[in-house]
Amino acid sequence: MRPEALNPLFAETDSLDGVGPKLMRPLEKLGLTRIKDLAYHLPDRFVERRAVTDLDAAGVGENIIVALTVREHRASAGRGPFRVVCEDERGTICTITYFGRASYTARKLLPVGEMRWVAGKLEQYGQMLQIVHPEHVTQSAAEAMAQAREAVYPLSEGLTQGRLAGLVAQALVLLPELPEWIEPSQIAKSGWMAWHEALPEVHKAKNEPARDRLAYDELLANALALMLVRASNRSQRGTPLSGDGSLRAKLHLPFALTGAQARSIREIEGDLAQSAPMLRLLQGDVGSGKTVVALSALLIAVEAGRQGALLAPTEILARQHYETLRQMLEGTGVEIVLLTGRDKGKAREAILMGLVDGSIQIVVGTHAIFQDSVSYRDLALVVIDEQHRFGVGQRLMLARKGRRTPHTLAMTATPIPRTLTLAQYGEMEVSQLDELPPGRQAIDTRVVSLERMGDVVGALARHIEGGQQAYWVCPMVNENENEDLAAAEARYATLRERFGETVVLVHGQMRPEAKDAAMERFVAGEARLLVATTVIEVGVNVPSATLMVIEQAERFGLAQLHQLRGRVGRGSEKSTCLLLRSDKLSETARQRLALMRETQDGFRLAEEDLQLRGGGELLGTRQSGDTPFRIASLDQIAKYLPMAHDDARLLIERDGGLDGPRGEAARLLLYLFERDWGVQLLRGG
Ligand code: ADP
Ligand code: MG
């Protein structure tokens, strides 16, 4: 049960003044559904505005607050802007300009003859000074002065800064005072303020210690939760699994295992033979051959007369895993099924029945395989094809389906910098596929300016006409999803005009059936070109696709580019990756793309990406989705994670775990950051 003290923070956003269904939509898009989400919706930056009485004292391009008296309203003919002519104290003229259908607003806010405080950016238009769409217009000097420094928040369509700031302010008033969960000496050493002071503070000004404190909270919550998972796992009784190898011997693999694959399988076998449940991470770059390792592990469970499950992050991947495994299992007599959220009615019931009576030995699916309505006869092993950005712990909770705790194998294709491995996987055992199957050729990677689109399409045409397949990836970023989607659709339309029926489109907002149909046409080779947003990022395996075009490559993280590039170079043919870049690139962006050209070593890319992004690019870091953290930046992770780990360990090993007084506070922290699966484990174990 969540401690009562936190209830105000978990109240729904629509309990605030002025929030109705219409406003909820853009808020939900930003994930701001509860009071606490708003309080933790941190500003990207602050605008500073200077209050002036005299426009001559202000520079063009400056953000100002100025008292202006309205002289005249000027509507233009047709679709021209609506202008409000004003003057300052000394008679200097300044026009306030509104585009679109804003004349009603303008007349209401700025009546002729009245004085108003106007906040906005001063610009020059011909000979005239102007402010276009001022950010604030108020009657009160006090209110105007409060706008001298303002937070700039990440927005979604349908929200304004003012609206969002108002809601955040309402949320901050509701913060309870909570007991301190950080080690007192740490607080003293860093000079940090209390949580309920730090949170409002970071909305007011760029306050690094306050922000660090909040980041530390998040890191501590994560470290604690992972430690609890680990401790609970150690105390659990699982069942040792040992197979006789009979099924594995029947597999018809078209290749010999690499040394790394064989070693990983041995490590897994060793873990499974123990009575403490396995908690192992299989880390291997794209194309390193994790699937067959997963299958071997699953077969050990089946050989031992029990059941195994493979959890995939998306439908497409679940389907593909299922197909691959089914083919490999032909002739073994192993019963394998696919279960996703889309299975309904009789078909679904038959599967559920088979899982309960044990006639189905392996199930592959999305999170649907762990819904309450699904029970297993004897689930002994769960393989999680991890999309690295989800916390493992939560998945582990999902996995608690068996009578006894099942063994868990998590897989990740993302090379994680060492600093982050600890954050994400705590103290899991790790097997590494550090060797690619033989015969892989380097992918020829080139950075091409968007201006050379004609050449790119020409090369694509030769490629397709030569009988090969290709991917074309368009960026999709949360904050301008609609624009990005439109751009992807427009690209699809032009490519389709050129290449006809052989082009298919896949994006996240399509109906799953349509998405699968398009994917299937591509996998079957009927479609030659797959235009996609990043849904193909993880795991899709089409060895005959040998060309990858990535549009606006500079907008992707290196890790993501690496994943995408890994979709090609999977067969024996030479593969090419074209990174299309815009003409204006920052120095960092240039370096990052150069690095992609230089190396195909995922670990090196991950480490260097961390270096390159360093400080400054806080925004990019936070939204890149490369870490399980919302608040802590890569820098803060690097700086504070080891401390958070030590702090967590001390609390658990020396200070009485979650039962002492600080433990009570730590419990609040776990709930606050929704790592309460840690607490639940403790209770269950
Ligand atoms: P991952 O999931 O690690 O990205 P996959 O398991 O999808 O990689 O394997 C990538 C490709 O390599 C597949 O086509 C697979 O059949 C092939 N493969 C896997 N192991 C070997 C091996 N030892 N030798 C040759 N090819 C292999
Ligand atoms: Mg895979």
Side-chain angles (χ1 to χ4, degrees):
M1 278 298 278
R2 180 169 57 224
E4 257 173 51
L6 295 179
N7 286 349
L9 292 169
F10 282 82
E12 304 285 323
T13 303
D14 61 12
S15 64
L16 294 176
D17 286 343
V19 183
K22 200 168 143 228
L23 201 53
M24 270 322 284
R25 217 168 312 136
L27 288 171
E28 273 163 12
K29 203 137 197 209
L30 291 169
L32 306 179
T33 54
R34 296 153 309 175
I35 301 301
K36 107 187 175 63
D37 303 322
L38 277 168
Y40 271 108
H41 192 58
L42 306 188
D44 282 333
R45 60 191 171 85
F46 290 88
V47 253
E48 305 275 349
R49 302 194 181 95
R50 195 156 65 93
V52 295
T53 47
D54 177 356
L55 285 167
D56 289 333
V60 169
E62 194 178 2
N63 288 308
I64 56 169
I65 303 170
V66 62
L68 296 174
T69 304
V70 181
R71 290 293 165 235
E72 191 190 342
H73 288 165
R74 273 190 209 156
S76 359
R79 303 170 125 257
F82 185 83
R83 294 200 158 88
V84 182
V85 181
C86 305
E87 63 184 45
D88 70 3
E89 227 178 47
R90 297 175 54 184
T92 306
I93 299 291
C94 175
T95 307
I96 299 178
T97 306
Y98 288 89
F99 292 95
R101 302 206 171 91
S103 67
Y104 173 78
T105 319
R107 283 178 208 275
K108 205 170 93 186
L109 285 173
L110 295 155
V112 174
E114 304 267 318
M115 200 272 272
R116 290 289 182 273
W117 291 90
V118 178
K121 189 176 199 175
L122 187 65
E123 292 170 2
Q124 185 145 14
Y125 178 72
Q127 290 303 306
M128 209 164 60
L129 287 174
Q130 76 166 358
I131 294 174
V132 179
H133 289 267
E135 274 139 278
H136 303 283
V137 175
T138 64
Q139 274 173 273
S140 127
E143 217 177 296
M145 290 315 135
Q147 293 149 3
R149 183 170 54 223
E150 251 184 343
V152 180
Y153 292 102
L155 290 181
S156 60
E157 204 178 303
L159 272 178
T160 59
Q161 289 295 344
R163 209 48 182 288
L164 191 51
L167 297 178
V168 170
Q170 282 191 59
L172 291 173
V173 172
L174 300 170
L175 298 187
E177 247 181 76
L178 299 175
E180 187 55 74
W181 43 73
I182 301 177
E183 165 78 21
S185 65
Q186 173 69 41
I187 291 277
K189 195 173 71 192
S190 313
W192 284 339
M193 48 178 103
W195 172 81
H196 74 273
E197 289 163 0
L199 200 42
E201 186 59 31
V202 297
H203 289 274
K204 271 189 242 149
K206 194 171 169 207
N207 182 326
E208 280 185 20
R211 215 154 160 148
D212 283 354
R213 192 236 133 96
L214 298 176
Y216 188 86
D217 288 345
E218 189 181 35
L219 296 171
L220 180 61
N222 198 65
L224 265 174
L226 288 174
M227 231 163 261
L228 291 171
V229 169
R230 174 74 177 201
S232 135
N233 202 68
R234 283 213 181 102
S235 68
Q236 298 281 320
R237 269 220 350 252
T239 10
L241 285 182
S242 54
D244 56 7
S246 58
L247 291 172
R248 281 171 283 164
K250 284 193 201 153
L251 279 184
H252 296 293
L253 296 179
F255 47 73
L257 295 178
T258 64
Q261 285 171 323
R263 189 185 65 230
S264 301
I265 293 171
R266 274 199 307 276
E267 287 166 349
I268 292 166
E269 223 174 341
D271 283 2
L272 293 178
Q274 311 296 315
S275 63
M278 172 171 78
L279 205 54
R280 181 171 284 275
L281 176 68
L282 177 64
Q283 202 174 21
D285 214 339
V286 273
S288 58
K290 293 184 289 297
T291 316
V292 68
V293 177
L295 178 59
S296 304
L298 289 165
L299 284 181
I300 295 175
V302 179
E303 284 168 11
R306 318 220 8 226
Q307 292 170 302
L310 190 151
L311 175 65
T314 63
E315 295 248 355
I316 290 179
L317 270 177
R319 199 165 291 279
Q320 192 159 49
H321 271 310
Y322 169 70
E323 286 303 331
T324 315
L325 297 187
R326 195 179 54 79
Q327 280 168 26
M328 290 201 231
L329 286 171
E330 244 158 48
T332 58
V334 173
E335 199 57 42
I336 180 171
V337 295
L338 174 71
L339 178 62
T340 71
R342 278 167 53 207
D343 292 301
K344 300 263 144 62
K346 287 232 164 64
R348 182 180 147 86
E349 270 162 38
I351 293 175
L352 297 192
M353 200 61 91
L355 290 172
V356 174
D357 68 20
S359 57
I360 294 171
Q361 290 151 312
I362 299 178
V363 60
V364 177
T366 54
H367 60 275
I369 64 177
F370 289 126
Q371 275 162 5
D372 284 342
S373 53
V374 183
S375 16
Y376 294 81
R377 177 158 164 272
D378 200 359
L379 183 63
L381 170 69
V382 178
V383 179
I384 303 170
D385 190 12
E386 179 70 18
Q387 219 180 357
H388 64 280
R389 60 189 71 147
F390 296 117
V392 167
Q394 216 145 2
R395 294 292 177 79
L396 295 178
M397 269 311 283
L398 287 177
R400 273 157 210 268
K401 269 277 178 182
R403 270 177 293 134
R404 284 155 296 192
T405 311
H407 297 278
T408 305
L409 176 68
M411 305 199 289
T412 177
T414 305
I416 301 164
R418 266 169 285 286
T419 8
L420 296 184
T421 317
L422 190 64
Q424 270 168 137
Y425 300 105
E427 297 168 322
M428 277 173 106
E429 309 293 337
V430 178
S431 291
Q432 259 184 10
L433 293 182
D434 47 11
E435 177 187 354
L436 289 182
R440 293 282 160 79
Q441 297 189 46
I443 299 165
D444 182 12
T445 304
R446 300 184 204 174
V447 182
V448 184
S449 160
L450 203 57
E451 287 161 9
R452 290 180 48 208
M453 183 58 88
D455 297 344
V456 172
V457 174
L460 179 62
R462 285 192 298 281
H463 187 85
I464 290 180
E465 279 148 21
Q468 305 197 58
Q469 287 174 287
Y471 296 101
W472 187 297
V473 179
C474 301
M476 185 68 144
V477 183
N478 270 342
E479 70 231 70
N480 27 20
E481 228 171 65
N482 289 335
E483 267 172 52
D484 285 341
L485 188 59
E489 275 171 345
R491 181 63 68 212
Y492 168 66
T494 49
L495 289 170
R496 195 164 167 106
E497 217 163 89
R498 170 86 193 252
F499 298 108
E501 287 287 299
T502 188
V503 188
V504 288
L505 174 69
V506 173
H507 62 73
Q509 291 181 23
M510 276 164 78
R511 275 183 307 114
E513 294 81 7
K515 210 156 48 178
D516 287 353
M519 274 313 290
E520 269 156 30
R521 282 197 60 212
F522 186 70
V523 173
E526 285 166 37
R528 296 282 180 72
L529 177 61
L530 176 71
V531 180
T533 55
T534 38
V535 284
I536 61 159
E537 189 185 335
V538 246
V540 175
N541 188 25
V542 182
S544 55
T546 50
L547 173 65
M548 165 71 63
V549 182
I550 304 176
E551 229 180 292
Q552 297 186 53
E554 71 275 7
R555 287 177 63 193
F556 292 87
L558 275 186
Q560 225 178 354
L561 286 176
H562 178 67
Q563 289 281 330
L564 286 169
R565 180 170 60 183
R567 298 303 110 219
V568 297
R570 306 196 134 224
S572 48
E573 295 290 323
K574 176 102 191 139
S575 292
T576 307
C577 175
L578 300 179
L579 303 172
L580 304 193
R581 63 161 179 85
S582 338
D583 50 355
K584 276 192 222 119
L585 278 193
S586 73
E587 183 53 24
T588 316
R590 209 187 50 72
Q591 284 179 29
R592 292 166 73 224
L593 293 184
L595 201 61
M596 282 300 293
R597 213 172 42 205
E598 204 177 290
T599 182
Q600 232 162 288
D601 176 343
F603 279 94
R604 169 143 183 244
L605 284 169
E607 294 284 351
E608 303 246 358
D609 196 21
L610 192 60
Q611 297 281 317
L612 279 176
R613 279 193 283 183
E617 287 186 39
L618 193 64
L619 174 68
T621 315
R622 241 189 325 133
Q623 298 189 336
S624 70
D626 288 350
T627 83
F629 303 115
R630 283 195 54 201
I631 312 298
S633 68
L634 286 172
D635 269 4
Q636 289 168 321
I637 294 169
K639 187 165 173 202
Y640 292 116
L641 188 68
M643 272 191 242
H645 250 264
D646 291 347
D647 195 358
R649 174 165 302 138
L650 277 182
L651 179 64
I652 293 197
E653 290 173 4
R654 190 194 66 190
D655 300 344
L658 298 192
D659 294 328
R662 236 190 94 215
E664 285 292 319
R667 217 176 267 261
L668 289 172
L669 176 71
L670 286 168
Y671 277 98
L672 181 61
F673 281 98
E674 294 169 84
R675 303 290 204 279
D676 42 304
W677 35 268
V679 185
Q680 286 161 26
L681 279 180
L682 193 74
R683 216 182 31 216

